[in-house]
Amino acid sequence: MTALNASALPEIVDRGEVAVPGYPLDDRRIGIVHFGVGGFHRAHQAMFLDRLMNVGRDRDWAICGVGLLPGDARMRDALTSQDGLYTLVTKAPDGTQDPRVIGSIARYLFAPDDPEAVLAQMVDPAVRIVSLTVTEGGYNYNPSTGGFQYETEAVAADLSTRFDAVGAQAAGLAGSDDGGANSAQRAGHPRTMFGYVVEALRRRREAGTAPFTVMSCDNVRGNGDLARRMILAYARRRDENGLHGDAPIADWIESEVAFPNCMVDRITPVTAEADVEMVSAEYGIDDAWPVVSEDFVQWVLEDEFPAGRPAYEEVGVQMVEDVEPYELMKLRLLNCSHQAIAYFGLLLGHTFADEAAVDERLAPFTRTLYMDHEGTPTVPEVPGIDLTAYKDELMDRFANRSVKDTLARLAAESSDRIPTWLVPVIRENLEAGRDVTASAAIVASWARYAEGTGEHGEEWPVVDRLHDRVMAAAARHDEDLLAFLRDEELFGDLVAQEAFTAPYLHALEVLRADGARALLTELTEQA
């Protein structure tokens, strides 16, 4: 068994089973700071950079990962002990596996350990991109109004704290009182992605250093545009609060910082203990946190990088002027369809996405009733894409038995996903006078799932940042079947639109009385 780190690479090469970085790790120079290093980032953006480095390109674009949340300490421990290396195993539908050690992450910083180290890295002129995979909820916006949520605890703390030299000195003094990193954060260091990005840009401007590009890689429509709006809202409030003295920063960010949009795609389940054991047993590598994903990958990226960028196009990234058609295709056909199979699949008793994707009733509901009838009419023409073939490929990808993507993962954080992905489809179809029966059934399946128990009394954890709120709403179904829809932050005024509430109420009634299979049978036989 070989513990994964830089010194172990020759031994792994000698065994000939796993590809390793074909470049000296000492050649790496950090050019990107990335917030939110998880499985997806490591299977996607970091993998593309590793490809570039392996062909002798762009070794000055290595990644420094940054973690903000308590749970990110585990990633710090894993990557630091392994010199930033990890194993990526892609799995094809026929069971073929392609293992590779990825070397593009040169450094990892857990922000609570040393906030100033994070800021120093971001202010370094060699860093020209700050990228984000902070999830849909990480942008701190109200999905109904689109407004920034200033009252979120960590954001509110940032908006009342100085981060300049005076604030940093105060932080050090406060930290010396009790020795706690959390105390240092409260006294004068950022706690949020917004805080780090805006403060780093302020310091770069003060030093006469050109700004970095902010590259969002999250599954939200207009991810770059959204990042821009939310970061500007945060910066303006800090300006208004006098935290930047007589040198406000928001207008400078608005005029000088680029926020390209992009579409990202690769199904990447949460790493399971079985994946760790597989890497150990099949490849003889002791990896604290490997990544397993499907073999399909796509990245469509708006070419707006005034500070420069890696030569992404040389390793399969599509560099385009307009990302939106690709983005809508992916969000409304893949992401929304994942929501379709998630809650219905769990209610039907399935555990994995591949099981749900071939269910005799759920498969036609997803492929025909949702994808064809409701998702596709909201997708514009996509250059070079046959949408029928794309939808067929999606169902094949969902059915990939090798990946073992859990329905629990797909059903997590629904209050960030349904309002961001599916509600816009519903609104667009309602405005056009089109049918929303399938979409209403998907929302109803979420409402039924949020009751917390299955059709045979089994219990499941509802993982959601609004856990208490959504479960409390679902608990009122006996006296008010529209209780779940009355949350304006999540659904806006949908509760007042009969064209939506009529199929929603019918779907929820059938789900609660007769079960998911009865509803799917009814809907697919009527189609």
Side-chain angles (χ1 to χ4, degrees), residues 32-300:
I32 299 173
V33 170
H34 182 82
F35 284 84
V37 176
F40 178 75
H41 171 71
R42 294 189 294 150
H44 195 272
Q45 298 100 54
M47 179 277 300
F48 278 109
L49 281 170
D50 182 75
R51 281 184 181 177
L52 272 172
M53 293 177 183
N54 272 310
V55 296
R57 293 295 307 269
D58 295 331
R59 293 173 189 172
D60 58 340
W61 287 101
I63 298 164
C64 171
V66 175
L68 297 176
L69 303 176
D72 294 329
R74 182 184 164 211
M75 188 64 73
R76 171 201 61 196
D77 296 343
L79 290 180
T80 300
S81 67
Q82 297 178 178
D83 299 314
L85 302 171
Y86 61 92
T87 313
L88 170 65
V89 181
T90 60
K91 295 185 174 183
D94 64 3
T96 302
Q97 296 185 174
D98 181 18
R100 173 176 292 277
V101 173
I102 303 295
S104 55
I105 299 178
R107 188 185 191 193
Y108 188 90
L109 294 171
F110 181 54
D113 286 344
D114 192 345
E116 281 298 316
V118 175
L119 288 167
Q121 184 71 79
M122 296 175 74
V123 173
D124 183 346
V127 169
R128 289 148 287 165
I129 295 174
V130 169
S131 55
L132 313 171
T133 48
V134 294
T135 76
E136 301 80 14
Y139 294 90
N140 196 53
Y141 73 106
N142 183 308
S144 180
T145 67
F148 190 73
Q149 300 184 122
Y150 298 99
E151 68 281 1
T152 305
E153 180 186 0
V155 168
D158 272 6
L159 289 173
S160 60
T161 305
R162 291 184 64 182
F163 304 143
D164 57 14
V166 175
Q169 184 180 18
L173 292 172
S176 67
D177 288 339
D178 63 4
N182 288 334
S183 295
Q185 281 189 303
R186 289 193 296 271
H189 288 119
R191 292 175 56 184
T192 68
M193 171 272 290
F194 305 102
Y196 280 100
V197 169
V198 171
E199 177 61 12
L201 287 168
R202 188 195 68 78
R203 294 185 186 190
R204 289 175 78 106
R205 183 187 65 175
E206 188 175 76
T209 303
F212 45 68
T213 295
V214 177
M215 181 176 70
S216 168
C217 298
D218 281 296
N219 282 317
V220 291
R221 181 178 181 179
N223 47 19
D225 296 335
L226 177 64
R228 182 177 187 270
R229 291 197 308 273
M230 298 303 105
I231 287 170
L232 282 173
Y234 171 94
R236 287 204 171 93
R237 182 58 60 89
R238 280 187 64 84
D239 285 346
E240 292 166 3
N241 291 349
L243 294 167
H244 300 138
D246 58 359
I249 191 69
D251 288 347
W252 185 81
I253 293 174
E254 185 171 25
S255 63
E256 301 298 326
V257 180
F259 294 83
N261 294 300
C262 75
M263 181 271 266
V264 294
D265 190 6
R266 171 165 263 183
I267 296 173
T268 309
V270 174
T271 300
E273 186 58 36
D275 299 320
V276 177
E277 293 171 358
M278 177 270 293
V279 170
S280 174
E282 297 187 21
Y283 305 116
I285 297 175
D286 181 9
D287 187 335
W289 203 336
V291 184
V292 172
S293 77
E294 64 172 335
D295 58 339
F296 178 92
V297 66
Q298 186 176 20
W299 191 2
V300 184

Side-chain angles (χ1 to χ4, degrees), residues 509-520:
E509 287 171 349
V510 175
L511 284 169
R512 301 188 80 226
D514 303 314
R517 190 159 301 281
L519 176 61
L520 291 169

Side-chain angles (χ1 to χ4, degrees), residues 352-388:
F352 296 103
D354 62 277
E355 300 165 346
V358 297
D359 184 275
E360 62 178 354
R361 292 299 181 182
L362 184 50
F365 169 83
T366 304
R367 176 62 183 84
T368 302
L369 297 188
Y370 174 72
M371 284 192 191
D372 283 349
H373 295 176
E374 299 183 24
T376 300
T378 71
V379 176
E381 182 177 351
V382 186
I385 300 292
D386 178 335
L387 283 183
T388 298

Side-chain angles (χ1 to χ4, degrees), residues 219-223 261-265 298-302 317-335 378-387 390 394:
N219 282 317
V220 291
R221 181 178 181 179
N223 47 19
N261 294 300
C262 75
M263 181 271 266
V264 294
D265 190 6
Q298 186 176 20
W299 191 2
V300 184
L301 181 57
E302 186 178 15
V317 180
Q318 297 168 255
M319 304 302 301
V320 301
E321 293 184 5
D322 183 12
V323 169
E324 186 175 49
Y326 302 91
E327 187 176 61
L328 291 177
M329 172 186 74
K330 193 259 182 173
L331 293 173
R332 296 182 171 185
L333 296 178
L334 186 154
N335 293 108
T378 71
V379 176
E381 182 177 351
V382 186
I385 300 292
D386 178 335
L387 283 183
Y390 178 79
L394 285 181

